[in-house]
Amino acid sequence: REGRESPSAPTEPAAPPPSTTPGARDETKDFIARVLGDTEDTWSAVFKAMGREYHPPKLVLFRGAVDSACGQASSAVGPFYCAPDDRVYLDRSFFEDLSKRFGAPGEFGRAYVIAHEVGHHVQNQLGITQKVAQLRGRTSEARSNAISVLVELQADCLAGVWGHFAKQRNLLDPGDVEAG
């Protein structure tokens, strides 16, 4: 959905946006909306091929801290997905930190973070989140932690599925994904 916000995945600001010049474009918000729209297109097609319907998450942009159905989170948490309210929470300052603190400049790194959080939403839609919660409740702390790692790796894999389709649609620039 290049160039437009997804109507079924509205942005819900958690705090007033930083002051900008009236009429100025918010490039970060536009970028996030484009990526979220593209993940919606990807997962809608994948789910349709499975005979299912994809219901996209809602997006909440915040800076500093935010309240969610999963509790209060600060910027230290970074981007996250909250299954009880089906929302992807993105801290705007995280995207600034990606290039400054973590040395990950460019659009693909930012897009991949969004796709990873959407991957958690896909897990929720497929019932994986609920099964994992049940399993973690019946196991040791060490095993529960190992399961959490597997959930994160699967969300990375699901982000890679989005990346695969984005590459097929020529949305990636040379060097975004390098063969190793």
Side-chain angles (χ1 to χ4, degrees):
R1 302 219 164 148
E2 184 110 359
R4 64 184 173 93
E5 289 188 31
S6 168
S8 58
T11 300
E12 297 181 1
S19 61
T20 58
T21 307
R25 288 187 57 104
D26 184 337
E27 291 180 20
T28 300
K29 185 177 177 181
D30 290 347
F31 174 79
I32 291 168
R34 282 193 315 272
V35 172
L36 193 65
D38 192 64
T39 65
E40 181 179 329
D41 292 346
T42 296
W43 289 111
S44 292
V46 170
F47 272 58
K48 185 176 182 180
M50 295 186 305
R52 298 183 67 168
E53 185 178 356
Y54 177 69
H55 302 281
K58 293 202 171 155
L59 172 67
V60 178
L61 294 177
F62 72 99
R63 185 181 293 274
V66 68
D67 285 319
S68 75
C70 295
Q72 179 149 26
S74 72
S75 291
V77 171
F80 67 97
Y81 172 70
C82 180
D85 64 10
D86 281 329
R87 286 175 167 75
V88 169
Y89 290 83
L90 300 175
D91 183 346
R92 296 170 69 92
S93 63
F94 178 82
F95 292 107
E96 297 160 8
D97 288 345
L98 263 180
S99 62
K100 293 176 187 168
R101 272 183 45 201
F102 303 117
E107 291 184 341
F108 185 73
R110 296 184 304 157
Y112 191 85
V113 167
I114 297 165
H116 172 92
E117 298 309 327
V118 170
H120 286 301
H121 179 68
V122 170
Q123 290 170 324
N124 192 35
Q125 294 248 309
L126 293 174
I128 294 166
T129 304
Q130 296 81 357
K131 289 178 184 175
V132 165
Q134 292 169 354
L135 182 60
R136 288 181 70 194
R138 299 188 313 253
T139 190
S140 69
E141 183 179 348
R143 182 70 181 134
S144 181
N145 289 340
I147 291 168
S148 292
V149 170
L150 294 174
V151 167
E152 291 303 317
L153 290 172
Q154 185 180 51
D156 277 339
C157 178
L158 295 170
V161 169
W162 163 80
H164 167 77
F165 287 106
K167 184 176 182 187
Q168 283 188 334
R169 290 189 302 276
N170 295 317
L171 298 178
L172 304 185
D173 294 328
D176 279 343
V177 181
E178 295 183 23

